[in-house]
Amino acid sequence: MSGAATELGLSPSTLSRAVARFEEQTQLSVFERRGTRLVPTAAGQEVVRAARRVVDDLDLFSALAVDAALGRAGAVTVSTPADDIGPVLPTMIASVTRGRPRLNVHIARVETATAAMESLRSGAADLALIPRLPTPPDLLGIHVGRQELTLIVPAAWTPSNVRITDHHGLDWLGEFPFIAGVVETTSAHALERLRRSGARPHIVLTGTPIMTIPSLVDAGMGAALVPSSLPLDTFAHVRSIDLTPPLTYSITLMHRTGEHTPATRQFVDWARSATEE
């Protein structure tokens, strides 16, 4: 008892009274006297084990609180149009979460960039990663990369075993059926670029999910513009045309004005550093 009191900075009598009060309040005997020694009872040993669990939990809570304050822990929801932002999303998540194992990211897939911004406004998302659209006055946007588009056509439209690039010359396509993605996934300037190259696309289908478009082109329904990162190896009857110069659009990380959680701030800081690079 004297040694424990010294370690705690108490007098032996003060510690003895504290133990007596604990035993009285809990109706447990935590020590028994054996000669000049105090030995923990079975109940006392269980109290020690429980106390150690509490101390461990408090240590864990303290570590989590510190990590959360520094942005090393927490949860962030990123709203983004499905399959329309290329490798920027995985690059961002890998960069920000590296060395932050308690930082969890939820990807909320939506149909359009406008829907992603509405999720951000409503608070359903902490960030929105979107293509093309200008930044509205009530949100802030940071340019984080570009997505390149590839023109894909049915293989029957092109000579076999010939690599095709447009070199500003798509007049050989003439007037052709064009498959458009969901709203905002094929911008007006992209279609205008095709027209300047001599092509005459006329839209035959709209609102098509990006992942469905190659199957439709493979079936010969028409041509389309898709992200260059979209895998096409499994489609035997699809030919891609390299556009020269490349046709690209901007990828923007949108966030709300005002204060952010420490976890969300990590993504905003990454976006700013990516812009500087």
Side-chain angles (χ1 to χ4, degrees):
M1 187 68 75
S2 296
T6 300
E7 186 171 338
L8 293 170
L10 302 172
S11 67
S13 60
T14 299
L15 184 56
S16 294
R17 286 194 297 271
V19 171
R21 281 197 304 273
F22 178 82
E23 290 183 325
E24 180 182 355
Q25 291 169 353
T26 62
Q27 297 296 300
L28 294 174
S29 291
V30 293
F31 290 107
E32 62 181 351
R33 186 172 294 279
R34 294 181 184 175
T36 60
R37 298 174 58 240
L38 286 176
V39 179
T41 63
Q45 291 173 347
E46 183 58 38
V47 167
V48 170
R49 284 192 289 270
R52 283 175 176 158
R53 289 195 294 270
V54 170
V55 171
D56 289 343
D57 287 344
L58 286 173
D59 288 343
L60 177 60
F61 176 78
S62 177
L64 285 172
V66 171
D67 281 350
L70 296 176
R72 296 195 298 252
V76 175
T77 297
V78 182
S79 182
T80 186
D83 309 303
D84 201 24
I85 40 75
V88 175
L89 180 62
T91 299
M92 177 180 71
I93 293 175
S95 299
V96 175
T97 58
R98 187 177 297 117
R100 301 181 177 95
R102 296 192 180 106
L103 182 57
N104 299 317
V105 181
H106 171 65
I107 301 170
R109 295 289 192 182
V110 294
E111 285 296 318
T112 66
T114 299
M117 288 195 295
E118 288 305 316
S119 296
L120 180 59
R121 287 191 179 100
S122 69
D126 303 294
L127 300 164
L129 190 65
I130 66 169
R132 284 181 296 277
L133 292 185
T135 302
D138 60 325
L139 298 174
L140 297 176
I142 306 171
H143 170 77
V144 291
R146 301 195 70 82
Q147 171 69 291
E148 184 173 338
L149 293 175
T150 293
L151 177 65
I152 58 174
V153 302
W157 294 9
T158 66
S160 60
N161 301 319
V162 174
R163 180 175 176 81
I164 298 177
T165 60
D166 78 314
H167 293 298
H168 303 283
L170 289 174
D171 51 303
W172 57 273
L173 279 172
E175 185 174 349
F176 63 92
F178 186 84
I179 303 168
V182 296
V183 177
E184 300 166 355
T185 58
T186 302
S187 61
H189 84 274
L191 286 172
E192 181 57 30
R193 160 66 188 280
L194 296 182
R195 295 186 180 101
R196 287 200 306 269
S197 296
R200 300 194 302 278
H202 64 91
I203 297 175
V204 294
L205 188 64
T206 59
T208 315
I210 289 291
M211 297 303 290
T212 305
I213 289 177
S215 298
L216 296 172
V217 176
D218 192 63
M221 187 170 181
L225 286 166
V226 297
S228 297
S229 56
L230 196 67
L232 300 171
D233 296 343
T234 58
F235 300 98
H237 305 294
V238 171
R239 298 291 301 278
S240 61
I241 299 176
D242 295 330
L243 301 175
T244 307
L247 178 57
T248 65
Y249 56 79
S250 174
I251 304 295
T252 302
L253 183 69
M254 295 279 191
H255 60 96
R256 291 185 291 273
T257 59
E259 290 295 318
H260 302 106
T261 66
T264 300
R265 192 162 55 244
Q266 295 294 331
F267 286 86
V268 175
D269 290 345
W270 172 86
R272 287 172 177 155
S273 64
T275 300
E276 292 171 358
E277 293 174 1

